[in-house]
């Protein structure tokens, strides 16, 4: 993907629409979801690839921002719910399930950041630290 990103930039939205169903993380709080067949590593590579495609595309900056927001919002919302459940339960088995899901969410978010240059990563990190409680 890194080598072909310039040739793929015109197809980003079509690619994202095609793989949208794969961009769902298993959440133990959502009983409608079942664990998917993709491995954890496959998920990480998929999110990294999507991020790289969005960032390197020739789309308008507002469209890129909306695509990144659409990619990360479900993960962030899930993370917030899971952290609250983790903190409020005494059941060690449930804590392990929540902690595992939290770890996946953090790993995926970290991999999404690989699509950005180092300068952008530092700016995003500073922004995140300034405007979040965590």
């Amino acid at each position: 993907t890194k080598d072909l990103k310039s040739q793929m930039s015109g197809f980003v939205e079509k690619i994202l629409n095609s793989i949208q169903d794969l961009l769902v993380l298993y959440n133990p709080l959502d009983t409608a979801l079942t664990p998917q067949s993709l491995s954890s590593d496959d998920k990480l590579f998929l999110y990294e690839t999507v991020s790289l495609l969005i960032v390197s595309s020739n789309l308008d900056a507002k469209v890129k921002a909306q695509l990144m927001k659409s990619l990360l919002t479900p993960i962030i919302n899930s993370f917030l719910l899971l952290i609250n459940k983790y903190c409020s339960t005494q059941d060690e088995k449930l804590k392990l399930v929540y902690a595992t899901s939290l770890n996946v969410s953090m790993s995926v978010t970290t991999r999404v950041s690989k699509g950005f240059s180092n300068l952008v990563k530092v700016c995003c990190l500073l922004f995140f630290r300034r405007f979040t409680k965590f």
Side-chain angles (χ1 to χ4, degrees):
T1 305
K2 289 179 182 180
D3 292 338
L4 298 175
K5 63 184 178 188
S6 60
Q7 289 88 358
M8 296 175 72
S9 68
F11 304 102
V12 171
E13 290 179 293
K14 186 173 184 169
I15 292 169
L16 295 180
N17 286 333
S18 298
I19 63 171
Q20 182 177 350
D21 293 344
L22 297 173
L23 296 172
V24 176
L25 296 180
Y26 172 69
N27 179 344
L29 300 176
D30 187 350
T31 56
L33 287 178
T34 57
Q36 293 182 336
S37 59
L38 290 177
S39 72
S40 297
D41 285 342
D42 289 341
K43 282 283 188 183
L44 295 176
F45 289 125
L46 183 62
Y47 274 87
E48 180 181 346
T49 300
V50 167
S51 171
L52 182 67
L53 287 172
I54 292 170
V55 171
S56 63
S57 73
N58 56 7
L59 297 170
D60 183 61
K62 288 182 182 182
V63 175
K64 288 181 184 184
Q66 183 58 42
L67 289 171
M68 290 302 287
K69 183 177 180 180
S70 296
L71 182 67
L72 291 171
T73 297
I75 299 168
I76 293 168
N77 290 341
S78 175
F79 183 89
L80 295 172
L81 289 172
L82 287 165
I83 196 77
N84 287 329
K85 289 288 189 181
Y86 177 87
C87 292
S88 66
T89 188
Q90 300 301 317
D91 183 342
E92 292 300 317
K93 288 182 182 179
L94 275 177
K95 278 191 173 235
L96 180 60
V97 170
Y98 296 149
T100 302
S101 293
L102 288 165
N103 182 42
V104 170
S105 296
M106 289 185 286
S107 297
V108 165
T109 305
T110 300
R111 288 303 274 270
V112 167
S113 74
K114 286 186 154 202
F116 296 93
S117 70
N118 286 335
L119 177 61
V120 173
K121 287 180 194 174
V122 171
C123 292
C124 288
L125 180 61
L126 293 173
F127 177 82
F128 183 75
R129 284 186 180 166
R130 182 174 179 179
F131 292 104
T132 62
K133 296 176 185 177
F134 298 109

